Amino acid sequence: MAEDQTINPAIEIDRVVKRYGSFTALNDVSLTIADNEFFTLLGPSGCGKTTLLRCIAGFEDISEGAIRLYGDDIANDPPNKRPVNTVFQQYALFPHMNVQRNVMFGLQRLGYSEMDARGRAREVLDLVQLLPFADRLPAQLSGGQQQRVALARALAPNPKVLLLDEPLSALDLKLRQAVRLELQQLQQDTGITFIFVTHDQEEALTMSDRIAVISDGRVQQVGPARDIYEEPNNKFVADFIGETNLIDVAVTGVSNGMAACTLPGGAAFTCPAAQGAHQGHGHLSVRPERVSLTAPEKALITGHVQRLIYLGTDMHIDVALSDGEMVKARVQNSQSAHIPAQGAQVGLDFEEGAARLLID
Amino acid sequence: MAGLGQKPTAGGRTYAGLGLPLMLPAWVIIGFFLVLPIGIMLVYSFLTKEFRGGVIWEPTLAAYDQFFFDRGLFGDEQPKIEWTYILIFWRSIWQAGLATLMCLLIGFPTAWFIATRPASSRTIWLFLITVPYWVNLLIRTISMKFLIRDNGPLNQWLLDAGLISDPIHIINTNTAVQLGLFYSYLPFMVLPIYAAVERYNFSLSEAAADLYASRWITLRHIILPVVKPGIIAGCILVFVPSLGAFLAPDLLGGAKNFMIGSLIEEQFKGNAGNWPFGAAASMILLSMVLIVLIFYARAQGRAHAKGAS
């Protein structure tokens, strides 16, 4: 995947800057999104992900840079001239039109005849299983159904790129999980490039081909879900995606992508380093499920069990190091698992590949 | 879909059994200030006129006959259709319709402008729109008369600015009446439309643009239909009082531009009055307004039942 992305980019975001007065919402953002890709913009609220989506759709003008759609610069085109469609967060269905009319709206603007537009609308409504509801008004539908109408309306004109602005956030958990699978299936079936905005990391990890993690108007890291999770670049990404331990270490040397460092307690340790890591003070990211408990004398770090939390399938263990720092470990709840008692002294161990030296 | 009993309704437990006592004030007001006066008017329109105003309790159709038929000076000729009053009615409808249209053309952009300001400045704009209406309508209409006189400030400015070489004659024309009606009722158009536009969800406009609609198409197919209830409320609120207005036509239009309001007013003023005739004209006006409103209500009901397509 990583190779063909450069061959046929659907969208190129080229050094885009967006300012509102003195506030910079997007700060020199560059991204290349491949044709037929399910691409996710992930970040906390206010990070600029929705602003970027709105810039692609044409609802916001960009202050600097270029946005190219299959090679054409579209940054100066009004939204109604861009062959991209949007699924809005609150759906924005036309309340005075029935479902079928909503879906036909874009088609008629593109010059479809009444009959062709109706035919295509029914085809798409069938795809999202809403054909029996074609004559209903949006207000007569449930939230999940409205969401599917919004999807059908945006898909009907067969856009080159479909933009989805947190389309699942208004649904309840069960429905959200079902729709996730449907969306993924739909993307594969239609072959349309999806750009999906969310603040929900689980959504991002399960659905996307690639993810761009955004914070403070900057792209922090781009890559497939596994890379983002296993090989985070910096503290923000490691902390935002999943749960992690950030352990203070002294870095004694970095070479060939590997770092030598000293753990709290004095043990020497070598692990992969993020690009740009350097000697001095640093943070080691270790996921709790990669931390194992051993006898103190064989361990990398030692501490006391501060708290045990029973999670059903897992046991969550907080271990306090001698300098007061807390390390989380997650142990599977099997019969063979040895669960220490509260207050017991324990040793913590992790493999070389489980840890990663981050840049701040 | 919400099941029955999920939403609180007036029929719920909280108000159960209180229906009648709670409705009493409304019924008293409607009965005393609406039904009773209209009832009196209806009865008077079928009574015989007393020459110095008032009525004689003798039932007759004379008032309606006078409105529609001409039987000559002494009432002994073959009845012909009397066009005088029908023309006055027609002119009133025309004038009121034009005033409504003017109010809509100016009021809609105004309401749109106010509703799209930041929330903090909206109140100020609304206040500015309503400030002139703290002054009595009579005084405002007379001021308007002074403004548009042949040698009034409006003409003076236009002359000074070199835009015209001779004063425009506005006073005592239909235009003056139009201007008066427009000025009197503009806020009644602006306020309901403002309320509708303020609730308008602007992401609908974005969705329309996203689906390849131009601004004009978005206005016609999305914005106007969604804010239509506000527009219709505004039109009714301007049209109905314009139809019965008598201050603007009297003071600005002069004798030529008689409207229903003035006709009715004449019948109750001074010794020349003819109460049954005034009552009959009022009843005819009321019926016309009711017919329009009933048609509107039925059209709305149908649109609802059909689910709008």
Side-chain angles (χ1 to χ4, degrees), chain B residues 4-303:
Chain B
L4 282 175
Q6 284 187 353
K7 283 184 188 161
T9 61
R13 265 191 83 149
T14 320
Y15 297 108
L18 288 172
L20 214 62
L22 284 177
M23 290 216 299
L24 202 63
W27 281 117
V28 167
I29 288 170
I30 290 174
F32 205 77
F33 293 111
L34 188 79
V35 178
L36 190 62
I38 290 177
I40 294 174
M41 250 165 50
L42 185 66
V43 171
Y44 271 36
S45 72
F46 290 106
L47 294 178
T48 310
K49 72 170 171 180
E50 167 80 80
F51 278 99
R52 285 180 194 83
V55 286
I56 302 167
W57 283 83
E58 231 173 79
T60 169
L61 284 171
Y64 291 94
D65 189 82
Q66 185 189 344
F67 191 93
F68 290 110
F69 300 109
D70 174 11
R71 293 174 193 274
L73 196 56
F74 302 103
D76 50 3
E77 290 168 27
Q78 271 298 310
K80 288 179 295 190
I81 294 202
E82 169 67 270
W83 289 105
T84 318
Y85 304 119
I86 297 175
L87 273 175
I88 289 175
F89 264 59
W90 173 242
R91 186 157 61 227
S92 303
I93 293 170
W94 173 249
Q95 287 278 37
L98 270 183
T100 309
L101 190 68
M102 284 236 303
C103 282
L104 180 61
L105 289 180
I106 303 291
F108 185 83
T110 310
W112 185 270
F113 172 83
I114 298 174
T116 50
R117 290 315 95 190
S120 53
S121 56
R122 277 182 222 160
T123 332
I124 299 168
W125 285 108
L126 284 179
F127 181 67
L128 287 178
I129 289 280
T130 44
V131 155
Y133 297 85
W134 296 56
V135 175
N136 182 284
L137 178 63
L138 178 64
I139 294 169
R140 273 185 290 132
T141 311
I142 291 175
S143 331
M144 171 76 87
K145 185 175 180 158
F146 277 91
L147 275 175
I148 61 175
R149 276 184 317 186
D150 289 358
N151 52 356
L154 179 70
N155 272 311
Q156 204 55 53
W157 286 328
L158 290 174
L159 283 171
D160 290 349
L163 290 169
I164 51 171
S165 49
D166 291 306
I168 328 171
H169 183 67
I170 305 174
I171 197 81
N172 294 343
T173 65
N174 271 335
T175 316
V177 178
Q178 276 302 310
L179 220 54
L181 291 176
F182 166 75
Y183 177 55
S184 306
Y185 300 116
L186 183 62
F188 295 113
M189 184 65 84
V190 173
L191 294 177
I193 297 182
Y194 163 80
V197 174
E198 201 211 5
R199 269 175 317 191
Y200 177 74
N201 175 5
F202 282 89
S203 62
L204 294 182
S205 292
E206 287 190 346
D210 190 62
L211 294 162
Y212 315 108
S214 61
R215 281 159 182 259
W216 168 241
I217 294 277
T218 305
L219 179 70
R220 236 185 60 194
H221 288 272
I222 308 297
I223 297 169
L224 288 181
V226 172
V227 302
K228 195 171 83 180
I231 293 175
I232 287 172
C235 287
I236 290 174
L237 287 180
V238 172
F239 183 77
V240 171
S242 295
L243 199 55
F246 61 90
L247 276 180
D250 262 14
L251 294 171
L252 303 172
K256 284 203 314 262
N257 298 291
F258 224 53
M259 281 175 66
I260 314 176
S262 320
L263 175 71
I264 294 170
E265 188 210 7
E266 292 276 285
Q267 307 309 319
F268 293 96
K269 226 169 62 178
N271 284 342
N274 180 343
W275 286 21
F277 183 67
S282 302
M283 290 316 294
I284 294 167
L285 177 62
L286 183 67
S287 327
M288 283 185 348
V289 170
L290 277 182
I291 287 168
V292 171
L293 290 184
I294 286 169
F295 266 109
Y296 165 65
R298 282 182 52 180
Q300 281 300 89
R302 260 201 308 277

Side-chain angles (χ1 to χ4, degrees), chain A residues 167-215:
Chain A
L168 310 184
S169 62
L171 305 179
D172 60 57
L173 184 68
K174 268 270 165 61
L175 201 53
R176 207 151 61 209
Q177 286 168 341
V179 176
R180 249 185 235 168
L181 294 173
E182 283 178 31
L183 268 183
Q184 225 177 348
Q185 192 60 49
L186 207 57
Q187 195 269 328
Q188 279 163 19
D189 292 348
T190 55
I192 295 173
T193 307
F194 276 34
I195 303 181
F196 185 91
V197 162
T198 184
H199 63 268
D200 183 333
Q201 40 140 331
E202 196 185 321
E203 240 167 61
L205 292 176
T206 52
M207 294 167 78
S208 335
D209 292 326
R210 284 194 309 151
I211 299 169
V213 182
I214 299 178
S215 146

Side-chain angles (χ1 to χ4, degrees), chain A residues 318-331:
Chain A
D318 280 343
V319 176
L321 307 187
S322 55
D323 61 358
E325 214 180 323
M326 200 72 76
V327 175
K328 296 165 278 194
R330 188 172 284 218
V331 178

Side-chain angles (χ1 to χ4, degrees), chain A residues 53-106:
Chain A
L53 197 79
R54 291 173 59 80
C55 287
I56 300 173
F59 304 137
E60 307 281 350
D61 293 325
I62 55 176
S63 312
E64 282 172 35
I67 298 175
R68 281 186 287 275
L69 180 72
Y70 292 96
D72 301 327
D73 191 345
I74 55 166
N76 293 318
D77 293 347
N80 54 330
K81 299 273 190 269
R82 300 186 188 196
V84 297
N85 289 137
T86 309
V87 178
F88 290 83
Q89 188 169 13
Q90 301 297 331
Y91 316 139
L93 299 176
F94 306 131
H96 58 297
M97 295 182 189
N98 66 24
V99 168
Q100 183 168 307
R101 285 276 153 197
N102 263 280
V103 179
M104 284 167 70
F105 187 84

